[in-house]
Amino acid sequence: MALTGTVRGARDLRALRHAFERRHAPLTDRPALAVLVVLGVYVGGGLAWWLFALPSTTFACADPIVRDPACTSAWGWTVVAIAVAAGTASARTAGPVTCGAETAFWLLSTPVDRGAALRPRVAALLICGAIAGALAGRFATFVTAPEGRVAFTCLAAALGVGAVALPMLVQCRILAPAVVRVVIGLCLVAVPGVVAVAAVGVTVPPPGPSIVVGAWIAVAAPAVSALLRCDRIAAPEWRAGSDTAVGVSASFTALDPSLLAGVVERKVWLCIGSRRSRVLPRRRIAALVRSDLLRHVRRPTPVLVVCVALLGVAVLTSVVSPPAAAVVQLVTVFTVATIFGAGLRDVSRDPDFAVLLGTRDTHLHLALSVVPGSAALVAAAVTGFAGSASMASVVLGLLGGCAAAYRMRTRPPIGYDGLILETAVGQIPVDLLRQWARGPDLLVVCAWLAAVLA
């Protein structure tokens, strides 16, 4: 009883850790840390002020965004649905509640109240979800009707809280993981549905005050439940997204999103588990094509997402102006070819693995370009048939999108020993920016040509 009576609370442990850090932190680092914090607040606050003070009429209701000068609220609903699906999927992949080794030590080896230790982290994540939702709603105001701009921002902020709270309840073992998958699926299905309804001329009203208030009331229950029941999050749950958090930090530090993509892809393949072995053809090229196809057969989720997105893009290209339709088609072809070109990325970024395949790089690239090229051809056919762009812009979109995706997928591993330009405001990694421009540079040029030819 004496031992349990002297157990410190979570607040006392946080105070001890912060006091230890302050005592042992070098004095020279504190002014630099203060400058960085003030600079981050200044830049972030300035960007937020500029974004929310920018008139929404800058992009909405103006050519070449739409043909009809009258805007519709359907585009705002589409942006919000895509943002909710992406936010929920990202939160599920990241945990969302994770903790480092220093926090896990106290949670696992001491009788400290786990809920009290995790509750500030949970509250911070919910606030970040609301901020991210508000930003998504603000972006939706640029393509929606004038009367629904404030409502879309408030609604998206509420849905951002829900997008973070639902994966938290899964971590608390209160909800089944299937609930999150159903929410993501409904949002993805709603995107082509809303666009199709708007394309046939049906008026889609903006969210009214009752819908916004109802959304906040609906997300309040899972948010409060996550705050109260976060003590049920055990070590396997908060460790599940720790590698994703490390991947995010490493990607931002190295300016290389492929690090995060590799971590996420590895987790997805581990969730899929084992599959029955297949006999590949004896010819090397046919075996490479078959193995690249099996990658998407065994992991059909990206294929289904692309099919749903193509339906929405096809309807979108049928209602926008020809220049906008040409650009949308080009970006769609590029995105589809990039998604299906994972085999090209693996071979190009791992020379040791390419050597084991026993053929020249040209043959490897040609064989692994069959599947993404076929998918890009289908995407170009669907968007070109439904759109209003000219045949020349459609052909340019197909060739330019495939070429840009090929350039990006076949670029060598990122090198960090190149030219760095010293300026008055800091270092600019010129060579790193040059490496990342391989692919998007061709995409920008083709987008300008496609808009001109349309």
Side-chain angles (χ1 to χ4, degrees):
M1 297 297 293
L3 288 177
T4 57
T6 59
V7 173
R8 293 181 178 269
R11 182 177 300 177
D12 298 331
L13 291 178
R14 284 194 294 269
L16 287 174
R17 284 179 50 192
H18 294 162
F20 180 84
E21 293 174 356
R22 286 193 298 269
R23 287 196 305 268
H24 293 80
L27 296 178
T28 55
D29 291 343
R30 295 178 184 176
L33 180 61
V35 171
L36 290 177
V37 171
V38 173
L39 181 62
V41 172
Y42 174 75
V43 174
L47 289 176
W49 176 266
W50 172 81
L51 178 63
F52 282 92
L54 187 67
S56 299
T57 55
T58 302
F59 303 109
C61 306
D63 289 332
I65 300 294
V66 291
R67 289 177 184 166
D68 191 352
C71 290
T72 175
S73 298
W75 312 124
W77 285 107
T78 302
V79 173
V80 170
I82 294 175
V84 171
T88 306
S90 301
R92 181 189 60 179
T93 304
V97 180
T98 60
C99 59
E102 66 280 359
T103 304
F105 170 79
W106 294 103
L107 293 179
L108 296 177
S109 60
T110 63
V112 66
D113 185 4
R114 183 175 299 175
L118 294 178
R119 199 160 288 123
R121 195 181 304 266
V122 172
L125 289 173
L126 292 174
I127 294 174
C128 291
I131 295 174
L135 291 176
R138 176 57 178 167
F139 282 115
T141 61
F142 293 110
V143 293
T144 188
E147 64 272 9
R149 288 168 184 165
V150 177
F152 271 117
T153 303
C154 298
L155 177 65
L159 296 179
V161 175
V164 177
L166 289 181
M168 285 183 182
L169 294 181
V170 174
Q171 282 189 300
C172 298
R173 289 168 290 179
I174 297 177
L175 293 180
V179 176
V180 177
R181 292 194 294 267
V182 170
V183 171
I184 297 174
L186 290 177
C187 293
L188 294 178
V189 172
V191 171
V194 172
V195 175
V197 169
V200 298
V202 178
T203 303
V204 180
S210 58
I211 296 179
V212 175
V213 174
W216 277 103
I217 294 175
V219 302
V224 173
S225 299
L227 284 171
L228 297 180
R229 306 300 297 275
C230 60
D231 56 340
R232 300 187 59 179
I233 303 178
E237 282 78 16
W238 76 59
R239 286 176 176 172
S242 59
D243 52 352
T244 305
V246 173
V248 171
S249 177
S251 297
F252 275 105
T253 303
L255 296 179
D256 189 359
S258 63
L259 301 175
L260 176 60
V263 172
V264 174
E265 190 171 6
R266 177 179 176 274
K267 292 182 63 175
V268 171
W269 284 112
L270 288 176
C271 293
I272 293 176
S274 61
R275 287 292 185 270
R276 184 171 61 87
S277 299
R278 302 289 183 89
V279 179
L280 297 178
R282 292 183 178 273
R283 299 181 59 183
R284 185 182 291 111
I285 302 300
L288 289 173
V289 176
R290 178 70 179 278
S291 63
D292 197 20
L293 184 61
L294 283 177
R295 175 197 297 267
H296 306 288
V297 172
R298 292 174 174 175
R299 186 186 169 191
T301 302
V303 181
L304 298 177
V305 173
V306 168
C307 292
V308 174
L310 277 180
L311 295 177
V313 172
V315 178
L316 178 63
T317 54
S318 64
V319 297
V320 298
S321 61
V327 175
V328 169
Q329 183 203 16
L330 172 66
V331 175
T332 303
V333 171
F334 169 78
T335 305
V336 171
T338 303
I339 292 174
F340 283 88
L344 282 172
R345 178 202 60 194
D346 296 340
V347 171
S348 301
R349 296 190 178 181
D350 193 352
D352 297 333
F353 175 67
V355 170
L356 296 177
L357 297 178
T359 185
R360 292 187 297 177
D361 291 344
T362 304
H363 294 167
L364 287 176
H365 293 168
L366 290 177
L368 296 176
S369 299
V370 173
V371 174
S374 303
L377 182 61
V378 173
V382 172
T383 55
F385 177 78
S388 57
S390 62
M391 183 58 63
S393 63
V394 172
V395 175
L396 179 61
L398 174 61
L399 298 179
C402 292
Y406 180 83
R407 276 178 56 83
M408 191 176 71
R409 284 307 196 188
T410 57
R411 62 188 174 193
I414 299 296
Y416 299 96
D417 54 351
L419 176 63
I420 297 180
L421 183 63
E422 294 284 350
T423 64
V425 296
Q427 296 180 342
I428 299 177
V430 178
D431 189 68
L432 186 61
L433 296 177
R434 178 193 61 80
Q435 295 177 72
W436 276 110
R438 176 171 172 171
D441 53 355
L442 182 59
L443 183 66
V444 172
V445 174
C446 292
W448 178 77
L449 291 176
V452 171
L453 293 176

